[in-house]
Amino acid sequence: MNTKVVMTISALFMAVIGALLSFLPNEISNFLNIEPNNITILFLKILSALYFGFGLLNWMAKGTLIGGIYNRPIVIGNLMHFGVGAIALVKVGLNIQTHSVIVISLAIVYIIFAILFFYIFRKNPTKTEK
């Protein structure tokens, strides 16, 4: 598997979410019917920083050898993020009434990334797979 593609796509996915949360926190909270008070906006901006940080990490690591024992912390961090996020999104997606399309779409993306990072974690890379 070409891990460069997975790392690039995941980096761009997280950067887009980070940018949206950073520049449109009031609009996102209004869209989700959440009161846009100072604490809510603060948490959305902190979440934005997390997404930007993870996206930047994946972008910078995309050209390195990944899988098996190589760059294991990066793979485990991504696997935990997407795995736990997928579980949470599926649990919420089964019971949510409003914005179900958004939650289900995010759940599908998270499940796909969780599977890809699990595969990367279990497989030993070759030098040509950068």
Side-chain angles (χ1 to χ4, degrees):
M1 170 184 282
N2 189 349
T3 57
K4 186 173 188 172
V5 173
V6 175
M7 296 299 285
T8 302
I9 293 171
S10 68
L12 294 174
F13 171 74
M14 287 192 253
V16 167
I17 292 177
L20 290 173
L21 289 170
S22 180
F23 295 114
L24 302 171
N26 290 314
E27 291 80 0
I28 290 172
S29 62
N30 284 331
F31 178 76
L32 296 175
N33 298 327
I34 301 169
E35 182 183 342
N37 58 37
N38 289 338
I39 297 298
T40 304
I41 300 305
L42 174 66
F43 281 138
L44 288 175
K45 288 191 177 238
I46 290 172
L47 185 60
S48 163
L50 289 168
Y51 271 102
F52 268 135
F54 232 134
L56 187 58
L57 175 73
N58 286 354
W59 183 263
M60 293 178 72
K62 73 182 187 300
T64 63
L65 197 58
I66 298 174
I69 62 169
Y70 302 101
N71 287 313
R72 184 169 273 213
I74 294 171
V75 176
I76 290 293
N78 278 287
L79 178 58
M80 289 304 298
H81 170 77
F82 287 113
V84 173
I87 292 168
L89 286 164
V90 167
K91 284 177 70 174
V92 169
L94 294 175
N95 299 319
I96 196 167
Q97 301 298 322
T98 60
H99 308 300
S100 60
V101 173
I102 295 171
V103 174
I104 291 170
S105 300
L106 276 174
I108 291 169
V109 171
Y110 266 69
I111 289 168
I112 291 168
F113 277 127
I115 291 168
L116 289 171
F117 279 108
F118 180 76
Y119 179 76
I120 291 170
F121 173 70
R122 297 294 298 160
K123 187 176 180 314
N124 289 323
T126 60
K127 295 282 186 194
T128 59
E129 288 188 8
K130 273 188 178 178

